Amino acid sequence: MPRIFSGIQPSGELHVGNYLGAVKNWVALQHGHESFFCIVNYHAITIAFTPDELRRRTRDMAVSLLASGLDPAKAVVFVQSDVPEHTELGWIFNTITPLGELERQVQFKEKSARQEQVMAGILNYPVLQAADILLYLADTVPVGEDQVQHLELSRVVARNWNARFSPDAPYFPEPQPKLTPTRRIAGLDGQAKMSKSIGNTIGLLETPEQVWDKLRPAVTDPARQRKTDAGEPEKCPVIYPLHKAFSPVPVVTEVEAKCRGAGWGCMDCKKVLHTHMMEELTPIRTRAAELHARPKDVDELLHDGARRARLVARETMDTVRARMGLDASQ
Ligand code: AMP
Ligand code: TRP
C-alpha cells in the first residue's frame, strides 16, 4: 500500500479551512493507504505558547481529528513529541540543508517579519517538516496549498541526503503534495486564507448559532448591493466556495442561477449554505463531545499511535545512522 504522511499544528480545534484543505482528504485517503497523521507540537513551539495551553490544544486537536473521521484502526494518529526520532532526523537534515533554501521560504519571511527577535526554530521549521515525512518514507503528503513550498524543500532535503549517503539507489523518496479542489479556503474577510492567527475562521465544532453569526456578515460579490442586483458566483469569495464544498451539486447549480438572476438575496443563499454545512458538521460536533467526555481513551489512542509510528521511525533511523557512520558503538 502506498504510504502517506501529513501533519497539523495543535491549534486547538480544527477550522473549516483545515478541514476542507486537508483533514477531509485524510479521512478519505486512510482507506487504501498506509497513513500517518501527526499533531506537530514541536512545530507549534516556534510561536508563542504556554505549556498548559499547548497540552490542552494538543488533546483538543486529537479530538477534532478523530471526530472528523480519522479511524485509529486504519490510520496511525499520534503526537510528534512522543516519537523523538522526528527531532533526531531533523538535526541530521539541518546539516545538509543550504541556508539559502530556508531563507527564501515565504512562510519564514512572513513569520520572521512579525517578530522583533527571530529564533532559529522558525528558520529550521521546514527541515523538521521534511524529517516528519521522510522518517516514514512517505511519498504523498495531503496538504493545503500553503504547504507546497515546504514540500519542495522536503524534496531538496531528500535529494541532498540521497546524493551523499545513498548515491546508487535513492533511500528517501521525493514527497509530493496531494491537493484538493478546496486547497485554499478564504477567511470570512474574503481576503486572506482562513487562519487561526488572523482570526477569520469558522471553527469545525461551533454551534449552528455561532456558525450563522459568522456567515451572516461574511463578504459576498460587492456588485450585489441590493437583493435585486445580479451577481457573479466566482466573485463571491467565501460563500460560493463553501457551497461547492458542502452543498449537493444540484444545490450549487441553483445557487449559481439564483445569484446571476438575482433570484435570491445573499442572505437567502447563506441560509441554504448554513443548512448544508450543519448537516455535515453536526455529527462531527456530536462525536467530539463524546470524545471530550472520555479523555483517557483519547490518550490511549494517541499512545498506541506513537507506539506504531515508532516501529517505523526506529527502522529508518537505524538505516540513516548506519549509512552516515553514526553507529560506531553499536
Ligand atoms: P495548520 O493549521 O497550519 O497546521 O494547517 C494544517 C493543514 O490545513 C495544512 O495541510 C494546511 O495546508 C491546511 N490549511 C490551513 N489553512 C487552510 C486554508 N485556509 N485553506 C485550505 N487549507 C488550509
Ligand atoms: N507546516 C504544516 C502546517 O503548518 C504542518 C506540518 C508539519 C506538516 N509537518 C508536516 C504537514 C509534515 C505535512 C507534512 O500546516
Side-chain angles (χ1 to χ4, degrees), residues 6-9 11 15 17-18 20-22 26 142-147 182-186 193-195:
S6 200
I8 188 159
Q9 300 196 57
S11 50
H15 60 68
N18 299 139
L20 295 176
W26 301 358
V143 281
E145 192 173 70
D146 58 357
Q147 296 304 313
T182 44
R183 62 191 60 180
R184 184 191 180 279
I185 295 291
K193 71 166 183 180
M194 188 176 281
S195 162

Side-chain angles (χ1 to χ4, degrees), residues 3-17:
R3 202 179 268 171
I4 61 175
F5 181 97
S6 200
I8 188 159
Q9 300 196 57
S11 50
E13 88 180 36
L14 282 169
H15 60 68
V16 164

Side-chain angles (χ1 to χ4, degrees), residues 5-9 26 36-40 76 78-80 86:
F5 181 97
S6 200
I8 188 159
Q9 300 196 57
W26 301 358
F36 293 83
F37 299 117
C38 182
I39 302 173
V40 294
V76 180
F78 68 105
V79 177
Q80 192 181 30
H86 286 249

Side-chain angles (χ1 to χ4, degrees), residues 39-151:
I39 302 173
V40 294
N41 52 354
Y42 276 132
H43 282 98
I45 60 173
T46 59
I47 51 174
F49 75 101
T50 65
D52 283 341
E53 190 185 64
L54 181 63
R55 200 172 290 119
R56 182 182 55 74
R57 288 181 169 183
T58 303
R59 289 227 181 84
D60 287 354
M61 180 52 74
V63 165
S64 276
L65 293 175
L66 296 168
S68 298
L70 287 190
D71 176 358
K74 296 237 149 52
V76 180
V77 182
F78 68 105
V79 177
Q80 192 181 30
S81 62
D82 289 340
V83 182
E85 286 78 5
H86 286 249
T87 41
E88 190 179 358
L89 188 59
W91 171 254
I92 288 174
F93 283 166
N94 270 317
T95 66
I96 54 153
T97 306
L99 192 53
E101 294 282 349
L102 297 177
E103 283 167 338
R104 66 182 191 83
Q105 294 287 315
V106 173
Q107 290 210 355
F108 166 66
K109 288 191 223 166
E110 283 173 2
K111 286 184 202 163
S112 57
R114 281 188 245 132
Q115 302 193 356
E116 241 167 67
Q117 195 184 22
V118 179
M119 299 298 170
I122 289 203
L123 180 72
N124 296 323
Y125 178 110
V127 181
L128 181 59
Q129 181 162 349
D132 294 341
I133 300 163
L134 295 174
L135 199 49
Y136 301 92
L137 308 179
D139 56 9
T140 304
V141 186
V143 281
E145 192 173 70
D146 58 357
Q147 296 304 313
V148 167
Q149 198 189 20
H150 283 161
L151 288 186

